[in-house]
Amino acid sequence: SDYGDYFAWGETGSKKDYGWSNLEYCNDSTGDRFSKYNRNQAGRKDKKSVLELMDDAAHANWGGSWRMPTVDEWEELKNNCTWIWTSQDGHNGYKVTGKNGGGIFLPAAGWRSGDSQGGVGVHGGYWSSSLHTDESYYAFFCHFYSGGVFPSNWHFRFVGFSVRPVVSSLH
């Protein structure tokens, strides 16, 4: 139920300041030029659309077969599980229960932008490993609050969100 660390998309460690100027693979201060995970912005276009394991915060910190879920897997979790807004150990969030009765708790840990934190206890944001299909400065994340769950939202890659590891042999 703890909030844990916050990660910018494509980075494997937390930091004090989240912005374009210190984002891994961003070559400018505006998010217009990337050296990796660049489908359509200025710079070297590599057409990569899913994080490599070396850039996946879940894999880098947990090892083994752990990785971040794709946007499609967040959609699947939303569509095939029951989501109930609740509090656990003093933290608001969603209890997500599958058809087999197994479940997880996703705390509403908010986000980090610049050197500030926002939305704690009210909003949850969990990165996917999927880059936005149209704009390389965005990546997909699951966003939620007490009023709803939006598994395929997108946000700027520099924002610090939570990561919820999964295990599989996708990569």
Side-chain angles (χ1 to χ4, degrees):
S1 66
D2 288 340
Y3 295 141
D5 288 327
Y6 299 83
F7 300 90
W9 191 86
E11 294 187 348
T12 60
S14 61
K15 53 191 180 181
K16 292 183 183 201
D17 188 38
Y18 292 80
W20 289 123
S21 62
N22 68 349
L23 178 67
E24 187 75 24
Y25 307 122
C26 183
N27 294 342
D28 65 4
S29 61
T30 61
D32 286 331
R33 186 175 297 277
F34 296 98
S35 61
K36 191 172 183 182
Y37 305 109
N38 186 3
R39 296 172 56 108
N40 53 15
Q41 303 303 112
R44 190 179 126 251
K45 293 170 183 61
D46 60 13
K47 305 295 184 191
K48 293 179 187 288
S49 60
V50 176
L51 287 173
E52 294 177 345
L53 288 178
M54 65 185 283
D55 300 317
D56 183 307
H59 182 74
N61 288 282
W62 287 37
S65 298
W66 291 103
R67 63 173 178 78
M68 292 164 51
T70 65
V71 65
D72 291 338
E73 289 168 327
W74 277 113
E75 286 278 354
E76 182 180 350
L77 190 70
K78 166 65 170 85
N79 293 331
N80 293 306
C81 295
T82 302
W83 292 63
I84 297 174
W85 184 260
T86 187
S87 183
Q88 186 171 315
D89 300 324
H91 296 130
N92 292 334
Y94 272 100
K95 172 73 174 176
V96 184
T97 307
K99 293 175 183 171
N100 66 359
I104 59 173
F105 179 72
L106 298 173
W111 63 85
R112 301 274 321 205
S113 182
D115 62 359
S116 300
Q117 188 170 18
V120 175
V122 179
H123 290 274
Y126 286 78
W127 280 124
S128 79
S129 61
S130 305
L131 185 66
H132 192 275
T133 50
D134 296 326
E135 301 295 342
S136 295
Y137 44 77
Y138 293 131
F140 287 107
F141 77 111
C142 180
H143 172 238
F144 60 78
Y145 62 99
S146 63
V149 179
F150 309 93
S152 56
N153 261 0
W154 61 86
H155 212 303
F156 293 122
R157 290 161 54 166
F158 73 80
V159 175
F161 284 126
S162 301
V163 169
R164 174 65 174 137
V166 297
V167 174
S168 82
S169 58
L170 179 69
H171 287 282

